[in-house]
Amino acid sequence: MAKYRYVHVSFWQDAKVLEEMTPEDKYFYIYLLTNPNTTQIGIYQITKKQMAFELGYSIESINSLVERFENVHKVIKYNPQTREIALLNWGKYNLIKGGKPVLDCIEKELMEVKDTSLIGLVARKIPNESIRELFLRYANDTSYDTYHDTLDDTSTIRTTLSGEKEKQKEKKYYYPGDNDDIVEVLQFYQANIGVLAPVVGESIEYWCEDLSPELVREAIKRAATNNVRRWSYIEEILKNWKDNNVTTVEEAMSLDAKWKNKKDETAIRPAHQPLKNVNFLF
């Protein structure tokens, strides 16, 4: 049976890819996303020797690339003990739609992962709640909130939370990271909209990374100004900006002006001007 892997076209427009990655980095990243060992969950076993053979690189070059992608680009995590690699942004584009057949396939692959801390790392970027919950169940609730202090600690494999982390576990697994900009947006939401539900907190973090904390803050501000305290309303604003390739608050304001001008032009159309493509039935 043939296997296909999808690479979103926005890959080539991503700021990190455009500004930070060399041509060699881009080639290596595409390989990590599409090689025959890849799985539906974005975690798979592969040796550095295999990478070197398939890419035609030396082991030294592969070691350098893996280290750069882990510590500089921060888009993968590689466990040399289990020979497993996790693509940290995989869920952002590949784990969007759920359904029983998809969940069954995902669960089967999750059961085969040896280093379950990798599961929690991938779960951070999954927008689909049902898929994310399934990931977290197999992650044993560990790595999702201990991303930074357990990155190089293989003892976290199949461990459990304790103390304060057990209390956070009861909050349906939402643990804000240490990004100050995102934390500020979360606090802004609580101050202007209301109580921060776990699923909303996760969505806010997702949108901050997908667009920017500044745009998410602006969307929250607009909802508060209009006295609309629903996350769905805020998310619709964000989706509209994403569909229109808005990347800054200034561009959002320019889009507002564009729509306002279009609306004004429609409003001042002469009353006698005929409407096109309208059939009148008498």
Side-chain angles (χ1 to χ4, degrees):
M1 181 178 177
K3 275 199 307 187
Y4 300 91
R5 297 291 175 239
Y6 299 99
V7 179
H8 201 282
V9 294
S10 62
F11 171 87
W12 300 106
Q13 299 170 324
D14 185 272
K16 180 180 286 290
V17 174
L18 281 173
E19 299 173 7
E20 301 177 20
M21 291 192 178
T22 66
E24 183 180 51
D25 288 342
K26 295 173 185 177
Y27 175 49
F28 185 59
Y29 203 4
I30 290 293
Y31 169 77
L32 294 180
L33 293 168
T34 60
N35 73 75
N37 288 58
T38 57
T39 62
Q40 189 162 327
I41 62 174
I43 303 169
Y44 56 91
Q45 276 192 305
I46 189 168
T47 66
K48 291 182 178 180
K49 184 179 290 187
Q50 182 179 348
M51 294 184 207
F53 177 78
E54 292 180 341
L55 290 171
Y57 284 172
S58 65
I59 289 292
E60 290 74 19
S61 294
I62 294 298
N63 284 331
S64 176
L65 283 165
V66 170
E67 182 181 3
R68 187 155 72 245
F69 270 66
E70 274 198 278
N71 302 319
V72 178
H73 299 315
K74 297 181 180 179
V75 293
I76 70 167
K77 172 60 182 171
Y78 186 74
N79 185 324
Q81 280 72 43
T82 63
R83 272 68 170 181
E84 291 174 307
I85 191 168
L87 308 178
L88 306 186
N89 292 326
W90 181 265
K92 186 175 177 180
Y93 299 111
N94 296 280
L95 297 173
I96 299 172
K97 296 183 179 180
K100 190 176 186 307
V102 174
L103 292 174
D104 288 346
C105 179
I106 289 174
E107 185 166 22
K108 181 180 178 182
E109 292 184 347
L110 288 173
M111 292 173 66
E112 297 174 356
V113 176
K114 294 182 176 67
D115 181 356
T116 57
S117 71
L118 299 177
I119 298 175
L121 300 182
V122 175
R124 293 168 60 89
K125 298 290 183 71
I126 299 175
N128 184 290
E129 185 177 1
S130 61
I131 297 177
R132 186 171 60 249
E133 292 290 340
L134 181 58
F135 263 69
L136 294 171
R137 192 155 66 242
Y138 279 87
N140 286 334
D141 314 317
T142 55
S143 59
Y144 196 59
D145 63 322
T146 56
Y147 175 61
H148 295 284
D149 52 31
T150 64
L151 211 53
D152 298 309
D153 183 5
T154 56
S155 67
T156 60
I157 301 174
R158 299 194 184 281
T159 60
T160 58
L161 295 173
S162 61
E164 188 61 30
K165 294 172 188 175
E166 280 292 345
K167 296 178 183 178
Q168 292 185 341
K169 177 181 175 182
E170 299 172 1
K171 298 178 183 178
K172 295 189 177 179
Y173 311 108
Y174 176 64
Y175 317 126
D178 61 356
N179 186 311
D180 291 340
D181 291 334
I182 295 178
V183 171
E184 192 277 333
V185 173
L186 295 169
Q187 293 171 340
F188 186 77
Y189 179 93
Q190 289 180 307
N192 292 275
I193 303 298
V195 176
L196 183 68
V199 66
V200 173
E202 291 166 356
S203 295
I204 287 176
E205 187 170 356
Y206 165 76
W207 280 107
C208 283
E209 293 168 346
D210 197 39
L211 292 179
S212 73
E214 292 76 19
L215 279 174
V216 178
R217 193 181 195 280
E218 176 66 18
I220 295 170
K221 179 181 176 182
R222 294 186 180 202
T225 300
N226 293 326
N227 201 30
V228 179
R229 286 171 169 74
R230 298 194 311 274
W231 169 247
S232 59
Y233 177 85
I234 298 169
E235 196 162 37
E236 282 303 315
I237 296 175
L238 296 170
K239 288 177 181 177
N240 179 54
W241 286 343
K242 183 174 182 179
D243 291 342
N244 286 278
N245 299 314
V246 172
T247 58
T248 66
V249 173
E250 289 73 21
E251 290 177 2
M253 292 179 175
S254 296
L255 183 64
D256 292 342
K258 176 183 175 182
W259 285 109
K260 185 178 185 302
N261 291 336
K262 186 175 181 180
K263 184 177 180 180
D264 291 344
E265 289 174 4
T266 303
I268 64 174
R269 186 187 62 217
H272 63 273
Q273 182 176 332
L275 297 173
K276 296 180 180 180
N277 300 323
V278 177
N279 295 319
F280 293 95
L281 299 178
F282 298 97

